[in-house]
Amino acid sequence: MNILVVNGPNLNLLGTREPEIYGHETLTDLEAQWSAHASLLGIAVDSFQSNHEGAIIDAIHAARDTTDGIVLNAGALTHYSLALADALVAVDIPYVEVHISNIYEREEWRHHSVLSEHATAVIVGRGTTGYLDAISHLHTMLGGLS
Ligand code: CA2
């Protein structure tokens, strides 16, 4: 089983800015956590981050033949990218939407996600643990097969 973790705009800055919202771990720290967690589950995890909407869409298209499930924190694209929403429906790979912060207790414009409607699950406000929860959820949902 292969899981792809996709992070969108600005999430390359994790651990360097706004730690009170997004925590102290860098994206590299998190990638090590995801790999360790995936190894315990006997599955493989890849990570992709981009600040560019088109590059994220290309990565999701490329995942079609290689990936069983996607963990997606699309950053602010979450709130308006209908192109990303279309790409997720087009590839038909189950995905879990993750937000480190609780988007519902923040600015009004963060409350709506255009990606949630077709998500297998949505995890918000659990800090960076949400990514591990999402990997576990996909592992279970996809039958726990490695
Ligand atoms: O809570 C989340 O995980 C978000 O998806 C993060 C996005 C934000 O636009 C969403 O509304 C909620 C990205 C915010 C910027 O990311 C930074 C990360 C580290 C340091 C500074 C910004």
Side-chain angles (χ1 to χ4, degrees):
M1 184 188 299
N2 291 309
I3 305 285
L4 176 64
V5 183
V6 176
N7 279 284
N10 297 307
L11 289 158
N12 56 311
L13 298 179
L14 281 173
T16 68
R17 298 273 190 284
E18 302 183 85
E20 67 289 355
I21 301 176
Y22 299 113
H24 290 276
E25 293 140 315
T26 65
L27 186 56
T28 304
D29 295 335
L30 294 180
E31 286 170 344
Q33 281 183 17
W34 304 334
S35 289
H37 188 65
S39 297
L40 287 175
L41 297 173
I43 63 176
V45 69
D46 284 324
S47 171
F48 177 81
Q49 188 277 331
S50 177
N51 295 320
H52 305 280
E53 182 179 22
I56 293 169
I57 292 169
D58 286 344
I60 285 168
H61 289 177
R64 218 172 358 187
D65 300 323
T66 56
T67 302
D68 303 296
I70 294 173
V71 175
L72 175 63
N73 185 346
L77 295 174
T78 301
H79 310 298
Y80 67 87
S81 178
L82 299 179
L84 180 53
D86 275 349
L88 289 159
V89 170
V91 298
D92 198 24
I93 300 170
Y95 64 96
V96 177
E97 177 181 343
V98 171
H99 299 289
I100 298 167
S101 64
N102 181 352
I103 55 176
Y104 302 107
E105 66 177 15
R106 301 185 62 194
E107 302 95 319
E108 181 91 32
W109 62 267
R110 294 188 202 271
H111 296 187
H112 182 66
S113 166
V114 298
L115 308 179
S116 296
E117 185 172 344
H118 297 284
T120 297
V122 180
I123 298 172
V124 304
R126 287 196 31 77
T128 54
T129 306
Y131 290 99
L132 300 176
D133 294 340
I135 293 169
S136 294
H137 179 74
L138 283 170
H139 172 254
T140 304
M141 196 208 94
L142 293 167
L145 304 173
S146 43

